[in-house]
Amino acid sequence: MERGRVTMDRNADAPWSKFDPEVYVDNNYRTPLEVDLLIVRLMRDYFTRCFEGSPARSARGIDVGAGANLYPALSMLPWCEKLLLLEYARPNVEYLEKQVAPAGYDIAWDPFWDVLREAPAYAAVEPRPLVADIVRVERGNLFDLEGGDRRWSLGTMFFVADSMSEAPEEFHRGVRCFMNALGEGAPFAAAFMKESVGYRVGAHDYPAYRVNEETVGQSLEPFTQELEIHDLHHSVRPGHEGMLLALGRRNSAIAAP
Ligand SMILES: C[S@@+](CC[C@H](N)C(=O)[O-])C[C@H]1O[C@@H](n2cnc3c(N)ncnc32)[C@H](O)[C@@H]1O
């Protein structure tokens, strides 16, 4: 530990209003990485299994901390009648609003859709008009989901609970808020950077809490009736050790604070 350093970067301290979505997309998604395409494939197949035999487009979906990433939303698209992108940083909210406008989302997301549409349920939908029709963007704080009575029947949270604060209790609170926003039986996908020490977007540094498969499992288990954690050993940049993808369904427990 740094001598004399007594504080940790908490969620409220990070420069979210300076978050640059275009730089973030350039850094992470403009050239699709194998690991993201693998995640998309795993999510596609998991959701397909979960919704087998369900009425078409019946779920209400949410992507929490959507930021400048459209692939979690695209992965939920064929199953949803409505889909909410909840995001705190204003520049990311503006980015997302452009993606859901009638003009259609950026071509940067096409390689992800190409993987999704290998499965019949995805091939059956026209993604751009459907995104413009059913996806809504809301500026909000993940922590405010706690105690609310809004519930979703399908959810994703990608690189958020672990990538918003250095404080362990904020990581656990982030996971709890996400899981408590899901109704009983709701399928979910959540992704985490493994052992991340923080990340830089343009000229600004953002905090992270170091997690591994055990930490993620412990935080999710009280809320799940079915859980698989995929440890994907691809390092995207120095400062972390790969990615973890958790797939599961929400159980019926009232989760304790
Ligand atoms: C590392 S980025 C991940 C973005 C995107 N989900 C992805 O997969 O690339 C972390 C995201 O969490 C958002 N965020 C940070 N604090 C938040 C909060 N309290 N409530 C909701 N979103 C938050 C940030 O604005 C940012 O978009």
Side-chain angles (χ1 to χ4, degrees), residues 11 24 29 65-67 69 87-89 92 141-142 158-159 164 199:
N11 182 248
Y24 184 78
Y29 302 123
N69 183 4
E87 168 57 40
Y88 183 72
N92 288 342
N141 191 326
L142 156 64
F158 269 61
F159 315 116
M164 65 192 296
Y199 55 106

Side-chain angles (χ1 to χ4, degrees), residues 38-47 230 232 245 247:
L38 175 59
I39 286 174
V40 167
R41 211 170 298 134
L42 289 164
M43 242 192 318
R44 174 197 75 191
D45 294 346
Y46 183 70
F47 290 157
H230 299 263
L232 308 167
L245 174 68
L247 300 170

Side-chain angles (χ1 to χ4, degrees), residues 32-46 71 75 111-112 115-116 118 158 228 230-234 243 245 247:
L33 297 172
E34 267 314 306
V35 64
D36 287 296
L37 298 175
L38 175 59
I39 286 174
V40 167
R41 211 170 298 134
L42 289 164
M43 242 192 318
R44 174 197 75 191
D45 294 346
Y46 183 70
Y71 79 61
S75 307
F112 301 96
V115 171
L116 291 168
E118 287 166 8
F158 269 61
E228 46 186 83
H230 299 263
D231 190 344
L232 308 167
H233 301 275
H234 298 63
M243 294 181 190
L245 174 68
L247 300 170

Side-chain angles (χ1 to χ4, degrees), residues 38-198:
L38 175 59
I39 286 174
V40 167
R41 211 170 298 134
L42 289 164
M43 242 192 318
R44 174 197 75 191
D45 294 346
Y46 183 70
F47 290 157
T48 300
R49 284 201 301 280
C50 289
F51 285 99
E52 219 150 47
S54 303
R57 306 228 337 251
S58 54
R60 278 179 308 112
I62 182 168
D63 183 30
V64 171
N69 183 4
L70 217 57
Y71 79 61
L74 293 176
S75 307
M76 291 189 276
L77 197 61
W79 320 111
C80 291
E81 58 161 338
K82 286 181 180 170
L83 179 44
L84 181 69
L85 308 183
L86 183 81
E87 168 57 40
Y88 183 72
R90 282 188 199 280
N92 288 342
V93 169
E94 283 163 23
Y95 175 86
L96 291 168
E97 278 168 348
K98 270 188 246 148
Q99 304 308 308
V100 307
Y105 58 77
D106 198 278
I107 55 165
W109 305 107
D110 287 345
F112 301 96
W113 185 258
D114 287 344
V115 171
L116 291 168
R117 71 186 170 93
E118 287 166 8
Y122 293 84
V125 304
E126 216 28 86
R128 281 193 171 78
L130 192 54
V131 165
D133 188 24
I134 69 166
V135 183
R136 201 169 59 79
V137 181
E138 182 178 308
R139 180 169 186 253
N141 191 326
L142 156 64
F143 293 143
D144 292 338
L145 292 175
E146 188 142 56
D149 51 12
R150 299 165 85 191
R151 294 284 178 280
W152 287 267
S153 50
L154 174 62
T156 53
M157 180 174 71
F158 269 61
F159 315 116
V160 178
D162 58 316
S163 301
M164 65 192 296
S165 168
E166 287 179 356
E169 72 275 14
E170 289 196 314
F171 164 71
H172 289 287
R173 189 170 155 212
V175 170
R176 194 171 71 233
C177 288
F178 170 58
M179 294 307 287
N180 277 336
L182 300 177
E184 183 180 346
F188 70 85
F192 307 88
M193 286 291 182
K194 194 174 165 187
E195 302 287 358
S196 172
V197 295

